[in-house]
Amino acid sequence: MRFFIKNYGCQMNSYDSQRITDILAHAGHEIANSSEAANIVVLNTCSIREKVDEKIFSDLGRIREMKKEYAKDFIIVVAGCMAQTRSSDILRRAPYVDVILGPHNIHQLAKIIDKIVNSKSSDVVMSTAANVGSKFPQSSDMLFERGVSEFITIQEGCNNFCSYCIVPYTRGREFSRSVLDIRTEIKNLVSLGVKEITLLGQNVNSYEGVGLDGKRCSFSRLLFELANISGLKRLCYMTSNPKDVNLDIAIAHKEIKILTPSLHLPVQSGSDSVLKRMNRRYTTDEYARRVEMLRAHRPDLALSSDFIVGFPGESDADFQQTLELVKNIGYAQAYSFKYSPRKGTAAAQMDNQIPENVKSERLRTLQNLLDNQQSRFNQNFIGQHVNVLFTKKGKHEKQLTGRSEYSQSVSVATGVAMGTIAKVKITEVASHSLIGVVVP
Ligand code: 5AD
Ligand code: SF4
């Protein structure tokens, strides 16, 4: 059969979608370029904000029309976080779905499809048991073709229960893969031509997998264990929880050459009282001191963050403190969101939910500030050299685009091959991206 995967949400979902691709391709199915050209459609879903849920239900309605045309031999799979937490809603609102698969169950998909095809049954197959760890590739597993920059999950799930967040309910408790498994997967990826690896986890700093010596290994130790993999040119990671950043991580940033000087360190809010109600377990002062420590070890560190505006009870004064924090810390880049209540989380029950128009206004103000800050960060690079890993075609003909070590998008006109790292002199800054020339 021919399959198409539509991915929603975060990088961990992209990794899972890649894993589903490996598994289905290995079972003899072919990749289709669009849902129209497929007869297995997988929606790998996300639950982090409500807007995405509604988009997924509307996409399902459209795919249902295609299923009607193809009749029997058309399989619709809903995988990922929404499948885990909203299976009964999916059964009710989209009873034509054939398979519901939680994020820990994706490795079962090829067998489930075989069963459906052979049995011709129209019952929904559901698999959402917490089966943590089973989905990751074994060393003998075939990996399908890859780009030059890939993600790999090292740790999944979360024990923190920030009061707004659905992740502890969708991806469950923390689980860490072993150092050996991670090293093996990275070596296999490098042998396929991968040059840059981003280590993924809801909380990479909580990593505590089994080390090569059989003992528990910390996240900073893991970074050192991966630093010497031959052929690996760049190592990145996300996401760090500010409460867990320690000196060993700062030292890793100083000593490990392939570790990029960019760090995603989501602060969420600049108000201590909001942080407390978010259950983030750090204060703005502790956050600032950790940033200072990191910068003392790696002065050129480019910081990025996530922000939530309009958390229940957020006052104007709280919001002003977020703007102040942004000005004081200085970010290279950031994502900001309106608070979205998620059923089952503590914050959804809190009093003083903020009206939509106030959230929108605050989001606009914050995004303006962050945009200006990003522009200024980028302007400082005019005339400077950065190292760019070229990963895709640019907007204009012959142009290639890639990312600098500071995670900026950089384009050049000529003089470089796709998939290589080249030194680039920055000549221009255009909104969120940089333009430059390759230098010898
Ligand atoms: N509403 C809005 N944003 C959220 N995030 C997580 N949960 C919610 C929510 N309920 C944001 C946080 C997190 C990012 C991945 O998504 O900023 O860091
Ligand atoms: Fe969600 Fe907080 Fe866990 Fe991140 S650390 S996944 S925001 S609960």
Side-chain angles (χ1 to χ4, degrees):
M1 295 176 81
R2 295 174 313 281
F3 67 95
F4 179 75
I5 304 175
K6 177 151 187 194
N7 192 69
Y8 303 79
C10 67
Q11 286 86 351
M12 194 168 279
N13 256 21
S14 308
Y15 174 81
D16 287 347
S17 289
Q18 188 71 63
R19 200 59 209 117
I20 298 173
T21 303
D22 287 343
I23 288 162
L24 294 186
H26 188 59
H29 301 291
E30 280 170 48
I31 297 181
N33 290 329
S34 66
S35 51
E36 284 75 15
N39 51 2
I40 302 172
V41 175
V42 182
L43 303 188
N44 196 15
T45 63
C46 167
S47 270
I48 200 100
R49 283 169 289 273
E50 192 175 6
K51 242 187 183 165
V52 193
D53 285 19
E54 286 316 309
K55 166 104 178 66
I56 291 163
F57 278 116
S58 101
D59 286 353
L60 272 173
R62 196 176 46 78
I63 292 162
R64 178 197 198 178
E65 295 305 310
M66 287 160 46
K67 185 178 168 107
K68 277 187 194 153
E69 270 175 45
Y70 281 88
K72 287 189 296 298
D73 294 330
F74 193 95
I75 297 175
I76 304 179
V77 182
V78 180
C81 287
M82 191 174 110
Q84 187 72 36
T85 52
R86 296 195 62 184
S87 56
S88 50
D89 291 342
I90 297 168
L91 288 172
R92 185 172 47 82
R93 288 178 62 176
Y96 46 85
V97 162
D98 300 282
V99 186
I100 296 177
L101 215 52
H104 297 143
N105 310 83
I106 51 173
H107 57 291
Q108 299 162 340
L109 187 55
K111 284 201 184 113
I112 291 175
I113 286 174
D114 264 0
K115 233 188 236 165
I116 293 177
V117 170
N118 293 328
S119 74
K120 303 270 179 219
S121 152
S122 59
D123 290 349
V124 180
V125 181
M126 188 146 88
S127 179
T128 52
N131 212 348
V132 196
S134 317
K135 73 173 175 198
F136 296 108
Q138 306 298 309
S139 54
S140 57
D141 277 9
M142 209 176 77
L143 301 178
F144 202 70
E145 62 186 42
R146 293 295 198 273
V148 284
S149 173
E150 292 291 336
F151 301 113
I152 119 158
T153 297
I154 61 159
Q155 177 275 329
E156 186 167 338
C158 184
N159 298 350
N160 287 329
F161 290 90
C162 298
S163 61
Y164 51 80
C165 186
I166 191 111
V167 167
Y169 306 92
T170 60
R171 300 226 175 224
R173 294 297 72 71
E174 286 171 5
F175 165 82
S176 297
R177 299 175 68 193
S178 73
V179 175
L180 184 63
D181 278 3
I182 295 166
R183 270 185 71 103
T184 307
E185 190 174 347
I186 295 180
K187 282 183 181 171
N188 288 342
L189 288 169
V190 170
S191 73
L192 291 174
V194 174
K195 296 200 166 128
E196 176 180 79
I197 293 281
T198 303
L199 308 174
L200 296 178
Q202 259 79 42
N203 266 307
V204 286
N205 311 91
S206 308
Y207 175 83
E208 52 167 13
V210 177
L212 297 174
D213 56 3
K215 295 189 188 139
R216 290 230 161 136
C217 174
S218 68
F219 178 60
S220 51
R221 186 68 238 147
L222 173 72
L223 291 174
F224 280 98
E225 297 283 11
L226 304 178
N228 61 359
I229 292 180
S230 159
L232 180 61
K233 303 281 189 235
R234 273 187 185 181
L235 189 59
C236 325
Y237 62 88
M238 67 193 309
T239 294
S240 294
N241 191 317
K243 78 177 172 54
D244 301 319
V245 167
N246 58 26
L247 181 61
D248 292 340
I249 290 174
I251 293 172
H253 272 284
K254 183 175 178 173
E255 293 188 359
I256 299 177
K257 291 269 171 319
I258 61 169
L259 197 57
T260 52
S262 43
L263 181 63
H264 189 56
L265 198 62
V267 65
Q268 312 296 357
S269 167
S271 152
D272 285 336
S273 79
V274 171
L275 287 175
K276 195 154 195 232
R277 278 178 290 118
M278 284 179 165
N279 195 27
R280 291 291 285 178
R281 286 177 268 184
Y282 53 82
T283 62
T284 50
D285 200 41
E286 282 160 352
Y287 182 86
R289 274 190 275 131
R290 281 176 195 168
V291 168
E292 214 173 282
M293 173 185 72
L294 288 160
R295 284 180 167 155
H297 287 80
R298 186 75 216 216
D300 61 342
L301 197 68
L303 269 194
S304 62
S305 180
D306 294 336
F307 294 90
I308 296 177
V309 299
F311 184 80
E314 184 190 66
S315 65
D316 273 334
D318 289 323
F319 178 63
Q320 289 305 321
Q321 287 174 2
T322 298
L323 300 177
E324 280 308 303
L325 179 138
V326 171
K327 288 177 201 155
N328 291 336
I329 298 288
Y331 291 100
Q333 205 218 329
Y335 302 93
S336 41
F337 313 99
K338 289 191 256 186
Y339 168 70
S340 167
R342 306 313 287 136
K343 213 166 144 198
T345 61
Q349 315 285 335
M350 288 179 186
D351 294 337
N352 293 323
Q353 297 283 332
I354 304 295
E356 195 56 29
N357 62 330
V358 176
K359 286 186 198 172
S360 301
E361 182 55 38
R362 287 182 186 164
L363 188 67
R364 239 192 326 272
T365 309
L366 176 61
Q367 287 186 337
N368 260 336
L369 175 65
L370 291 166
D371 265 9
N372 288 338
Q373 207 165 62
Q374 179 171 8
S375 297
R376 248 177 296 132
F377 176 83
N378 286 338
Q379 287 289 345
N380 284 336
F381 280 82
I382 291 187
Q384 306 285 323
H385 293 152
V386 290
N387 295 302
V388 180
L389 171 60
F390 289 95
T391 53
K392 56 183 185 193
K393 286 186 178 160
K395 276 196 208 127
H396 305 295
E397 215 189 329
K398 286 195 183 156
Q399 204 183 37
L400 284 186
T401 300
R403 296 222 160 251
S404 74
E405 59 272 56
Y406 303 105
S407 206
Q408 300 147 304
S409 167
V410 182
S411 299
V412 300
T414 48
V416 72
M418 187 78 93
T420 56
I421 295 180
K423 189 176 268 188
V424 173
K425 183 175 179 180
I426 302 302
T427 53
E428 242 180 274
V429 174
S431 69
H432 290 148
S433 59
L434 307 174
I435 296 168
V437 288
V438 175
V439 292

